[in-house]
Amino acid sequence: MSVLVVVECADGEVKKSSLEVASYGAQVAAQLGTTATAIAVGEANEANLAKLGEQGITKVLFDAEPRLKDFVNNAYTKLIATAAEQEQAKIIVLANSNIGAAVGSRLSVRLKASLATNVVELPKTDGGQFTVKRGAFSGKAFSDVVLSGDRKIIAVKKNSTEAKHDAGKTAEVTSFAAQLSDADFADAPTQVVMQDQAGGILLPEAELVVSGGRGMKGPENWNLIEDLAKALGAATACSKPVSDVDWRPHHEHVGQTGITISPNLYIACGISGAIQHLAGVNSSKVIVVINKDPEAPFFKAADYGIVGDVFDVLPKLTAAVKALN
Amino acid sequence: MKFLVCISNVPDTTTKIAFTPDNKEFNKAGVQFVINPWDEYALTRAIELKEAAGSGTVTVLNVGEADTEPNIRKALAIGADDAIRVNAAPQDAYFVAEQIAAVAKEGAYDVILMGKESIDYNGFQVHGMVGEMLGIPTVAPAMKLDMSGNTATLEREIEGGKEIVTVNTPFVASCQQPMCEPRIPNMRGIMTARTKPLKVVPAVGEPARTTVAEYALPPKKQGVKLIDAENAGELIKLLRNEAKVI
Ligand SMILES: Cc1cc2nc3c(=O)[nH]c(=O)nc-3n(C[C@H](O)[C@H](O)[C@H](O)COP(=O)(O)OP(=O)(O)OC[C@H]3O[C@@H](n4cnc5c(N)ncnc54)[C@H](O)[C@@H]3O)c2cc1C
Ligand SMILES: Cc1cc2nc3c(=O)[nH]c(=O)nc-3n(C[C@H](O)[C@H](O)[C@H](O)COP(=O)(O)OP(=O)(O)OC[C@H]3O[C@@H](n4cnc5c(N)ncnc54)[C@H](O)[C@@H]3O)c2cc1C
């Protein structure tokens, strides 16, 4: 009996959300008096996998099959299911990412496990029940969910738990062969297209986010958002109408019908704060609102606010950040 | 081509979420229910693909009790040909997936379309479960879906990019923007929807694997601290020294 943690890698690095997942898994293992083993997916690098010891992982399984570099739903599912059987894992922890959720849902059927996605806290295991807290109603609420059965799968929401770093500790990386065949790769992508990320920071994983709404007036003014984002090392986001009219790409659209994010800092520029927008961002730790209308509803959900014109305020903020560094 | 479009009945996006006094159930009082916004992409795309092919059928499926029928009729008004309601309170994602898989198998559907996720329980999992139960691929979340004969080409969103995936029928896909422009019902659609077939079937399968013990609302904000626009740089100092986030 152990905890199996699925770590996603890209370009040899373990993704930030997977460091959180590794740390989460190690803490669950400690709660249950066992150890946490990781299985790597994506383009992994053994030296970086060994560093998962810092998050409390004792062993990392690594299948060197080159076709596992890109996400292939069937192959990943089989790989993880095989690892779960070998390790007799009762609990599987993965990121609530597009990959994690796709694999987790298939695994739950294959392994007859109960599944909770969008989980935001460590489980409570007292009284013989296994309860996790998860986000529901698109960021407007939480629910405590009891997972039944012998096997459980938990998909952890990004940025909702902290990755611990116990410097210097290493995990043992062992090779693992799930004996994947061509048939397992039948649903492999024919092409993978990566976007240009602002400063290489992925919005779903970002700790700092600068976001613009219709108050920015047009795409030609986004340099103001990008300059501040760049100075801070932040990702950029936008409201729905902004992506609807193609001022910005769809993957930047946050809210109830876009993506839900929970960065440490969310700076909203020229966004009114409609309920559907707030749903996607209100679990951010600190919210800053810049809006020329003092009655804008977003101020009610904010920690800090500036009533003013974005065209005047944004350059000042960028200059102030540059002055700090 | 037989399309099966699964629609979930969810609180309108403007709903202020509230729970019963014991925090054990969502308080439906005064809440307007709508078709899950993402499911509208699935529905519209299925209708468009059927129209483009010049043949085929679009069936909508909901797992829910009788109070979901107005939204099932709405889907028929938008252009689905017929509907199936599995008469059961949807207990959890696994339970819902079992119902969908059973209907899909029985009706031998070629393309099973869903939304990316429900905006109430935010599971993002029913599509994967259904694909696994039927032993067919699931592409989730899909931003684009084109069909040529029995082959579909999809764009699947991944963090930081997209994958182009080609699959043959049968398959499951979950849909999101910018796949299409969701349609709204017109007068003619509303008139014809009344007489389109809506079949009610009983639930099958095993019980749910998860139960909600309690709901909670997020903690309230303390109130906003306003900084003078003239002194905007002050904000950056507060973010570093007080909030400690930069
Ligand atoms: C089913 C449904 C789902 C939806 N889902 C989402 C979602 O996921 N995400 C989302 O964002 N929206 C969503 N919406 C839309 C939402 O209701 C709002 O319409 C939208 O969020 C408004 O975007 P905005 O704040 O950019 O624009 P507006 O509401 O037009 O606000 C612009 C703001 O900019 C301010 N402003 C203007 N000029 C300046 C200036 N020079 N300096 C400073 N401030 C200025 C104005 O005072 C105003 O507050 C959804 C709506 C529906 C019906
Ligand atoms: C009164 C009430 C109480 C409920 N209580 C709970 C609860 O305690 N716990 C719980 O998990 N769920 C509960 N549900 C069910 C919930 O509404 C969902 O149907 C179910 O949980 C699946 O949601 P999901 O977020 O996991 O789906 P996702 O995986 O996010 O949904 C993906 C897609 O699956 C399809 N889909 C989802 N649900 C249905 C459906 N019912 N019929 C047809 N297609 C569907 C849609 O296309 C949707 O876009 C309750 C529902 C009601 C009405």
Side-chain angles (χ1 to χ4, degrees):
Chain A
M1 137 78 178
S2 77
V3 172
L4 183 68
V5 171
V6 180
V7 294
E8 296 175 27
C9 304
D11 302 325
E13 303 279 339
V14 178
K15 291 187 189 168
K16 176 176 166 279
S17 52
S18 285
L19 294 177
E20 293 162 8
V21 163
S23 190
Y24 184 103
Q27 290 173 76
V28 174
Q31 274 180 328
L32 302 173
T34 177
T35 55
T37 299
I39 171 101
V41 296
E43 192 175 2
N45 158 310
E46 290 196 38
N48 285 332
L49 292 178
K51 278 200 264 172
L52 285 165
E54 297 189 359
Q55 279 72 49
I57 300 291
T58 44
K59 185 168 79 177
V60 186
L61 307 176
F62 176 50
D63 189 328
E65 160 67 57
R67 288 176 293 181
L68 287 169
K69 175 177 157 297
D70 289 327
F71 173 58
V72 184
N73 206 339
N74 242 330
Y76 278 30
T77 307
K78 187 167 171 189
L79 174 80
I80 298 161
T82 311
E85 297 292 0
Q86 176 188 301
E87 298 296 311
Q88 299 191 341
K90 296 284 184 220
I91 299 192
I92 301 175
V93 188
L94 23 75
N96 197 54
S97 60
N98 285 354
I99 293 175
V103 174
S105 52
R106 289 197 93 97
L107 280 174
S108 76
V109 173
R110 202 169 294 187
L111 300 175
K112 297 191 170 40
S114 53
L115 167 66
T117 54
N118 216 16
V119 170
V120 297
E121 272 177 16
L122 285 170
K124 288 193 218 70
T125 50
D126 39 286
Q129 271 194 339
F130 194 95
T131 309
V132 287
K133 185 173 183 172
R134 62 182 298 274
F137 294 96
S138 303
K140 293 180 187 170
F142 296 100
S143 61
D144 280 345
V145 176
V146 180
L147 299 186
S148 60
D150 201 29
R151 276 181 162 156
K152 301 167 181 76
I153 303 177
I154 302 172
V156 183
K157 184 176 174 190
K158 292 169 189 173
N159 269 330
S160 57
T161 59
E162 210 176 320
K164 295 205 167 146
H165 285 274
D166 208 343
K169 278 181 78 179
T170 54
E172 173 207 349
V173 181
T174 53
S175 64
F176 174 75
Q179 317 287 1
L180 299 172
S181 65
D182 286 351
D184 298 316
F185 290 92
D187 61 336
T190 49
Q191 198 190 343
V192 181
V193 187
M194 297 312 280
Q195 294 130 10
D196 261 350
Q197 302 296 326
I201 300 158
L202 284 178
L203 176 59
E205 310 217 332
E207 291 190 355
L208 311 174
V209 175
V210 184
S211 183
R214 274 211 294 232
M216 291 304 298
K217 303 286 191 282
E220 65 281 6
N221 299 322
W222 240 262
N223 62 317
L224 295 175
I225 300 273
E226 280 162 353
D227 287 349
L228 178 59
K230 204 165 160 215
L232 283 168
T236 54
C238 68
S239 67
K240 179 172 188 285
V242 164
S243 66
D244 282 349
V245 296
D246 286 333
W247 291 0
R248 299 299 292 175
H250 274 280
H251 62 87
E252 285 201 0
H253 154 202
V254 292
Q256 192 152 8
T257 52
I259 60 167
T260 310
I261 52 172
S262 45
N264 290 338
L265 174 64
Y266 183 75
I267 304 184
C269 312
I271 303 176
S272 56
I275 186 164
Q276 299 96 345
H277 185 85
L278 292 180
V281 302
N282 66 4
S283 55
S284 309
K285 270 144 222 130
V286 173
I287 294 180
V288 173
V289 170
I290 305 160
N291 197 303
K292 67 174 184 190
D293 174 8
E295 301 298 325
F298 219 146
F299 283 116
K300 289 206 181 71
D303 299 283
Y304 297 96
I306 296 180
V307 179
D309 188 329
V310 282
F311 298 99
D312 163 51
V313 172
L314 278 172
K316 285 187 185 156
L317 295 181
T318 305
V321 173
K322 285 185 177 155
L324 266 190
N325 298 337
Chain B
M1 198 64 59
K2 287 181 76 180
F3 291 92
L4 182 66
V5 178
C6 306
I7 60 166
S8 178
N9 195 56
V10 299
D12 175 284
T13 58
T14 58
T15 307
K16 281 223 163 74
I17 301 301
F19 303 106
T20 52
D22 60 2
N23 283 326
K24 293 218 183 295
E25 272 175 58
F26 173 61
N27 187 350
K28 286 187 181 178
V31 172
Q32 170 89 26
F33 281 81
V34 296
I35 299 175
N36 187 40
W38 273 304
D39 304 354
E40 294 182 349
Y41 291 94
L43 177 60
T44 298
R45 193 62 191 141
I47 297 167
E48 287 175 357
L49 289 169
K50 179 192 114 171
E51 287 171 354
S55 67
T57 53
V58 176
T59 302
V60 285
L61 167 63
N62 169 260
V63 181
E65 295 179 299
D67 58 354
T68 68
E69 289 199 1
N71 281 327
I72 299 179
R73 288 281 172 210
K74 186 177 170 197
L76 292 170
I78 290 171
D81 299 297
D82 61 348
I84 299 171
R85 180 171 66 80
V86 177
N87 186 26
Q91 299 158 17
D92 78 345
Y94 182 79
F95 175 84
V96 169
E98 281 186 301
Q99 311 311 318
I100 296 174
V103 169
K105 204 170 195 172
E106 164 92 31
Y109 290 92
D110 303 297
V111 179
I112 304 163
L113 296 185
M114 305 188 189
K116 177 192 173 195
E117 70 182 53
S118 77
I119 63 163
D120 53 2
Y121 290 90
N122 304 106
F124 189 37
Q125 52 186 311
V126 170
H127 22 78
M129 289 177 171
V130 170
E132 183 71 18
M133 286 169 182
L134 296 173
I136 60 177
T138 295
V139 182
M143 304 189 286
K144 203 169 172 209
L145 163 62
D146 291 312
M147 304 255 339
S148 155
N150 290 334
T151 306
T153 305
L154 301 105
E155 278 183 21
R156 173 180 188 280
E157 184 172 58
I158 50 173
E159 279 81 0
K162 63 186 176 192
E163 291 176 352
I164 319 294
V165 187
T166 309
V167 290
N168 290 331
T169 58
F171 67 91
V172 181
S174 76
C175 307
Q176 68 167 51
Q177 67 276 22
M179 182 174 283
C180 56
E181 192 53 53
R183 292 188 188 175
I184 50 172
N186 58 27
M187 214 33 176
R188 204 183 108 75
I190 295 168
M191 299 302 290
T192 54
R194 292 192 193 142
T195 52
K196 285 181 179 171
L198 192 173
K199 194 164 83 182
V200 179
V201 301
V204 296
E206 299 166 38
R209 289 176 175 177
T210 64
T211 42
V212 174
E214 196 173 286
Y215 290 101
L217 293 172
K220 282 234 160 35
K221 286 275 177 191
Q222 298 289 320
V224 58
K225 190 175 218 174
L226 288 177
I227 294 104
D228 194 6
E230 291 309 306
N231 254 331
E234 191 58 30
L235 170 70
I236 300 301
K237 288 191 191 131
L238 288 169
L239 291 177
R240 167 147 304 180
N241 302 323
E242 188 178 84
K244 299 190 169 45
V245 286
I246 60 172

